[in-house]
């Protein structure tokens, strides 16, 4: 697994990073976002959606109460936030498996809660702050070496 570490200094920079990353995504991909409240997960999803052609940044927000929001980007984006869920029953109740590997891209905030339910080939993105009030964010992207559909033919 290839790991890349980025440091951003503003929300705009985080969005730009996600926008660039968006170009390498394809239908069926699953991104697992991890990191504390305010670390930039939703900001990252705004940039991701923008990069995939969904330009209404204000419409992208944490689906904390509805669990899932769908954005009709070039490839549909299924944006989950599982912060409020706590039991295995609740996790299984969101029907994640219907969306994973579908014709859309799944992006899940607080995905560390779903460990075990995530597909083995998910792309993990970890966010951390450098201290309260600071605009510095460390973003670690774990690229999988074997991505679906990108394996060399024998
Ligand atoms: N470098 C940065 N990257 C992302 N967000 C930043 C950055 N610096 C400041 N911010 C601010 O931090 C907050 C991040 O919030 P949000 O993206 O909703 O986090 P989360 O979804 O992880 O709770 C926003 O208010 C954003 O403007
Ligand atoms: Mg959020």
């Amino acid at each position: 697994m290839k790991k890349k570490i980025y440091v951003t200094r503003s929300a705009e920079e985080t969005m730009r990073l996600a926008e660039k990353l968006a170009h390498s995504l394809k239908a069926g991909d699953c991104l697992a976002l991890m990191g504390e409240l305010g670390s930039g997960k939703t900001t990252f999803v705004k940039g991701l959606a923008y990069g995939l052609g969904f330009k209404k940044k204000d419409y992208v927000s944490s689906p904390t109460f509805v669990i899932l929001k769908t954005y009709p980007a070039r490839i549909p984006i299924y944006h989950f936030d599982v912060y409020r869920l706590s039991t295995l029953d609740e996790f299984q109740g969101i029907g994640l498996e219907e969306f994973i590997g579908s014709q859309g891209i799944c992006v899940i905030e607080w995905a560390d809660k779903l460990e075990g339910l995530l597909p083995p080939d998910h792309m993990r993105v970890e966010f951390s702050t450098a201290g309260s009030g600071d605009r510095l964010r460390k973003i670690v992207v774990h690229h999988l070496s074997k991505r679906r559909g990108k394996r060399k033919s024998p």
Side-chain angles (χ1 to χ4, degrees):
M1 198 181 301
K2 224 170 48 178
K3 175 166 109 174
K4 271 199 175 171
I5 302 172
Y6 302 91
V7 173
T8 65
R9 286 169 183 80
S10 67
E12 291 69 32
E13 227 184 286
T14 294
M15 284 190 259
R16 275 199 300 275
L17 169 67
E19 199 184 322
K20 273 191 205 145
L21 198 97
H23 299 132
S24 67
L25 297 178
K26 46 192 179 49
D29 279 349
C30 174
L31 275 80
L33 312 188
M34 306 176 185
E36 66 201 64
L37 212 62
S39 59
K41 301 181 295 298
T42 302
T43 304
F44 183 89
V45 181
K46 280 180 203 259
L48 209 68
Y50 193 85
L52 285 166
F54 186 74
K55 307 289 181 188
K56 298 179 196 163
K57 274 188 187 153
D58 290 345
Y59 187 75
V60 178
S61 60
S62 262
T64 308
F65 295 100
V66 291
I67 314 293
L68 168 65
K69 284 182 85 173
T70 304
Y71 311 125
R74 200 155 51 240
I75 302 169
I77 300 172
Y78 303 116
H79 181 193
F80 292 87
D81 183 327
V82 298
Y83 180 65
R84 293 196 173 267
L85 305 185
S86 48
T87 66
L88 187 62
D89 262 9
E90 285 177 327
F91 294 142
Q92 285 169 338
I94 60 176
L96 194 64
E97 62 284 353
E98 285 178 38
F99 297 95
I100 286 180
S102 69
Q103 285 312 300
I105 293 169
C106 286
V107 190
I108 310 161
E109 295 194 40
W110 298 97
D112 38 330
K113 289 183 167 224
L114 295 182
E115 212 94 65
L117 296 176
L118 296 170
D121 57 352
H122 65 266
M123 185 189 284
R124 188 184 179 109
V125 187
E126 294 163 357
F127 298 78
S128 49
T129 51
S132 62
D134 203 344
R135 281 156 42 107
L136 226 56
R137 299 287 187 276
K138 184 174 148 200
I139 302 171
V140 184
V141 181
H142 298 263
H143 290 280
L144 291 160
S145 44
K146 281 190 202 161
R147 294 194 57 204
R148 218 178 317 109
K150 284 210 172 161
R151 286 171 207 164
K152 283 187 191 136
S153 43

